[in-house]
Amino acid sequence: VGNSPAADLGFNQAMDILTRCGISGKVVLKLEKGTYHRNLDFSSIVGMERNASLTLTSVSGRDSDVVIIADKEAPALTLANTCNFTLEKVTLKGYANGSSSTALHLAGNNRNLMVRHCILRTEALNSSNASGVAIYGNSILPDTLVRIIGNRMTGNGGICLNASSAQHGHDYVIDSNEIISPYVYGIYTNYCNIRTISHNYIHKQASETSAEYGLYPMNTYGVACQLSRFSCNRVHGAFNYALSVREQYSKGRFGNDTSAPVIISNNEFICSGYSTGNNVVFRGVGGHVLFCNNTVLVPQGATRTYLVMFDAYNSGHFKFLNNNLVNYGTTAYMVYSNGTDKQEDYADAWDYN
């Protein structure tokens, strides 16, 4: 598919046929090298059910060869009521103006989505509008089985995914992405039940305006028979919080068993810049947590109230093991827990740090 004489279909022609006629079976659209100006909307495509699939990719296999740019203030690609969709090895760019410059919009009721090895860019810079991020989801209709793997995101923010307290999004994997200089969020999820957020690199220069959060997962109740994992991430630079975790639970062997721990392990959290009243790592009210093998560092010239704060009161148990805490800047405490007189019931171990 493309605009050259050798193409089987022109780009706009192919998109029109797809949205008007739908698909049957396994469909792969391979785009020729080029820049395409269009807002794509793959919502409610006929045939996108459990027995059919759609892949949008580049002929060359290089993400920079195919660039799809939104030509109006709407997402470059919108997905809703979509099953078995893969986006790989292309570039999506949000609209060049406005605060709602979004590359990919997950508009709800999607199942089995894969976004991998793409460049996702938003043109909205230094905007507090959460929809002006590379991947944005906000719907009362939940998405299920979402995989976001190996992408590069630049601009106002990386990932912001919201579901609802009545219907959680379910089974998310966010892995091996690079998110460069976010202003609002690196990765934020709310009411999205997480399997794993791992091996991501979120960074911005110390001289840049501080982003609010690097990693901010909240209100997730896990995936059945899995331990929710936040592992091997690197969050470096000017963030008010490198990690803020609130209302996080893992499910055990049974659907509503939240007795298993959330695992936060082998991460690097390094906060530069000045941010009074904030911490590098904050664990709010939630379930059991195993916090182990992490590096938490405040570099020279940076200021944080605490390196790590645990809101232990009315929360599950936690273990704090084998962490490397380094302060070259200014902080009141390396670790602070407000468990008051019940702290001993919550802190099962403070060992080998």
Side-chain angles (χ1 to χ4, degrees), residues 274-285:
Y274 181 86
S275 186
T276 301
N278 298 315
N279 316 297
V280 180
V281 173
F282 175 78
R283 178 271 183 128
V285 173

Side-chain angles (χ1 to χ4, degrees), residues 121-133:
R121 179 171 178 176
T122 170
E123 298 294 341
L125 299 176
N126 295 348
S127 169
S128 59
N129 187 350
S131 65
V133 297

Side-chain angles (χ1 to χ4, degrees), residues 101-147:
S101 173
T102 305
L104 173 61
H105 182 203
L106 304 184
N109 203 33
N110 298 294
R111 180 180 177 83
N112 193 19
L113 302 182
M114 173 70 79
V115 181
R116 63 187 177 194
H117 308 309
C118 294
I119 297 172
L120 303 164
R121 179 171 178 176
T122 170
E123 298 294 341
L125 299 176
N126 295 348
S127 169
S128 59
N129 187 350
S131 65
V133 297
I135 301 178
Y136 178 66
N138 189 16
S139 175
I140 60 173
L141 298 175
D143 296 320
T144 304
L145 294 174
V146 178
R147 305 290 183 263

Side-chain angles (χ1 to χ4, degrees), residues 130-288:
S131 65
V133 297
I135 301 178
Y136 178 66
N138 189 16
S139 175
I140 60 173
L141 298 175
D143 296 320
T144 304
L145 294 174
V146 178
R147 305 290 183 263
I148 302 171
I149 299 173
N151 304 285
R152 189 170 189 261
M153 306 179 201
T154 63
N156 195 58
I159 298 170
C160 178
L161 300 174
N162 292 281
S164 73
S165 58
Q167 296 188 78
H168 290 203
H170 184 66
D171 202 343
Y172 290 75
V173 172
I174 302 173
D175 194 292
S176 302
N177 301 284
E178 182 181 12
I179 300 173
I180 303 169
S181 297
Y183 178 79
V184 55
Y185 300 121
I187 298 173
Y188 170 85
T189 65
N190 188 23
Y191 295 115
C192 298
N193 292 343
I194 301 297
R195 181 181 293 261
T196 179
I197 298 178
S198 300
H199 297 97
N200 300 285
Y201 181 30
I202 307 170
H203 58 98
K204 62 185 304 177
Q205 297 296 321
S207 58
E208 296 179 286
T209 301
S210 291
E212 188 66 19
Y213 299 99
L215 281 176
Y216 189 8
M218 62 184 297
N219 294 314
T220 176
Y221 288 80
V223 176
C225 302
Q226 298 289 324
L227 298 178
S228 296
R229 303 183 310 279
F230 305 91
S231 299
C232 303
N233 299 289
R234 293 180 295 155
V235 184
H236 295 179
F239 297 95
N240 289 342
Y241 295 89
L243 171 69
S244 181
V245 180
R246 302 167 189 261
E247 295 290 349
Q248 290 288 325
Y249 302 89
S250 281
K251 288 187 176 177
R253 296 175 58 191
F254 305 103
N256 294 317
D257 175 14
T258 56
S259 62
V262 172
I263 297 176
I264 304 173
S265 66
N266 298 290
N267 301 285
E268 295 177 5
F269 302 119
I270 302 174
C271 272
S272 57
Y274 181 86
S275 186
T276 301
N278 298 315
N279 316 297
V280 180
V281 173
F282 175 78
R283 178 271 183 128
V285 173
H288 308 309

